[in-house]
Amino acid sequence: MAGLILPVFYLPQILHCIRDNTQLQAFSMSKSLCQLLLRLVMLPFLLQVDNSVILAIALFDMFGRVTEFSFALHSLRRQKCSWSSISLRLSPIKPVRSFASRFKLGAAPAPPP
């Protein structure tokens, strides 16, 4: 039952992608792509199990993931994001900023009122 119910939770995320106007600031494209790829890699192993119920549940989950990722891509393109900026969001490797790099050197704090 859980395998059939769990993919329903993709629906709110898909609806969020449809309505989004923030260029999906709260959505991780790299995480979504990674989860989709992991499910694709899993499918050949499920075919070896030869259990139609498990295969149907995995395909239902895969359909939810593909739909979610497709709507996320569509949302970004609708908001005029270039393919190059989208490809940067797909990379799991992000530059790490140190805590100290967030502060401008030489800038004095504002005096209290």
Side-chain angles (χ1 to χ4, degrees), residues 1 3 6 12 28 30 53 55 64 68 84 88 93 111:
M1 260 337 252
L6 193 58
S28 174
S30 62
V53 173
L55 186 60
E68 177 192 46
S84 60
L88 290 174
I93 300 170

Side-chain angles (χ1 to χ4, degrees), residues 72-91:
L73 281 176
H74 175 72
S75 177
L76 291 174
R77 291 298 296 158
R78 177 180 52 82
Q79 295 177 62
K80 309 287 190 257
C81 285
S82 66
W83 284 112
S84 60
S85 69
I86 292 172
S87 69
L88 290 174
R89 292 183 67 167
L90 294 176
S91 172

Side-chain angles (χ1 to χ4, degrees), residues 42-62:
M42 175 187 65
L43 276 179
F45 295 104
L46 289 177
L47 293 172
Q48 298 285 328
V49 174
D50 196 30
N51 185 326
S52 59
V53 173
I54 291 176
L55 186 60
I57 289 170
L59 289 173
F60 186 50
D61 181 62
M62 177 72 73

Side-chain angles (χ1 to χ4, degrees), residues 10 12-18 20 22-33 35 64-76 79 89-90 94:
Y10 294 131
Q13 190 64 39
I14 291 167
L15 293 174
H16 171 75
C17 289
I18 291 171
D20 183 79
T22 66
Q23 295 187 349
L24 300 177
Q25 292 300 314
F27 185 83
S28 174
M29 292 291 290
S30 62
K31 181 184 108 178
S32 181
L33 178 63
Q35 290 175 342
R65 284 277 170 204
V66 168
T67 304
E68 177 192 46
F69 189 76
S70 300
F71 274 101
L73 281 176
H74 175 72
S75 177
L76 291 174
Q79 295 177 62
R89 292 183 67 167
L90 294 176
K94 306 280 187 236

